[in-house]
Amino acid sequence: MRELFTLMAAMLFSIAMYAQNAPTAEEQERENKAIEAFLPTLDARRSEFVGQPAKKLFDVIRGSAFKIRNIGTEKTSPWVEYKGKTWVYGLSLFNKPVQQAMKDKEVYIIRIILDVRWESSAFWDSVSSAGTAWMEAIVRKCLDVKVKDVSWKHFYIPERKTSSEK
């Protein structure tokens, strides 16, 4: 009985925490407008970042309305690389976690191309020891690497239809 009570209390606590952290539609709209105001400055300041260590770019992003909530790697295709290896050469920064982006059907993405080629599995092995702080470990790994390009887009996720709905 005690275990059941503990489980129920933990579930209620986690639901309350999620409800506190879930942005309202008004908060989301305010955040989107702030991001839309910030992102064009990346285009205007691109020459300040290209050829410089990524730290400068990350400092600007961290001080902005764009909050990094997910990171993906830019990598080569195993189909075109020797012996099928993949190489990480950049990052994609997302303002929403995957589940939230799928729900909202939109996400802002900052794409950073770096002057580096890390073998993909070695790259992920080097940051996996960070545990839940893996995104921060990726950013730290890239701080001293020079930026080759930076771009952004507002990506709309299309509706998925099953074959029976077509």
Side-chain angles (χ1 to χ4, degrees):
M1 186 68 166
R2 180 188 280 205
E3 292 86 12
L4 180 60
F5 179 73
T6 304
L7 178 64
M8 299 256 313
M11 287 177 62
L12 288 173
F13 179 74
S14 64
I15 289 169
M17 290 304 293
Y18 177 75
Q20 275 184 331
N21 293 332
T24 64
E26 187 177 292
E27 290 171 334
Q28 188 65 53
E29 184 64 28
R30 245 191 330 259
E31 182 179 330
N32 283 352
K33 285 184 180 187
I35 290 171
E36 288 168 5
F38 162 70
L39 290 174
T41 65
L42 286 181
D43 292 331
R45 297 177 65 186
R46 179 178 284 126
S47 62
E48 290 179 42
F49 305 124
V50 173
Q52 298 299 315
K55 181 184 185 326
K56 185 174 185 177
L57 175 59
F58 279 109
D59 287 344
V60 169
I61 292 170
R62 283 185 173 146
S64 76
F66 189 97
K67 302 304 174 211
I68 302 170
R69 296 194 174 106
N70 196 11
I71 296 180
T73 54
E74 297 289 327
K75 59 187 177 208
T76 61
S77 168
W79 302 107
V80 297
E81 292 292 336
Y82 180 68
K83 294 188 178 180
K85 288 191 175 208
T86 57
W87 300 90
V88 173
Y89 63 88
L91 300 176
S92 290
L93 312 177
F94 301 88
N95 75 311
K96 297 177 182 178
V98 175
Q99 298 84 353
Q100 188 67 40
M102 296 299 284
K103 180 180 165 223
D104 295 347
K105 306 246 183 284
E106 68 172 345
V107 66
Y108 289 95
I109 305 167
I110 297 176
R111 186 171 182 243
I112 304 169
I113 305 302
L114 299 167
D115 191 16
V116 71
R117 281 175 56 103
W118 286 302
E119 197 275 318
S120 186
S121 60
F123 174 85
W124 286 108
D125 287 346
S126 71
V127 297
S128 65
S129 62
T132 57
W134 64 272
M135 287 193 290
E136 187 61 32
I138 289 174
V139 170
R140 278 194 314 270
K141 185 173 183 70
C142 298
L143 290 178
D144 294 327
V145 179
K146 290 187 179 176
V147 174
K148 287 177 86 172
D149 191 28
V150 60
S151 60
W152 66 272
K153 66 180 169 181
H154 187 184
F155 184 73
Y156 293 94
I157 301 167
E159 289 284 332
R160 298 186 81 194
K161 294 183 179 180
T162 62
S163 59
S164 63
E165 294 175 325
K166 292 182 181 178

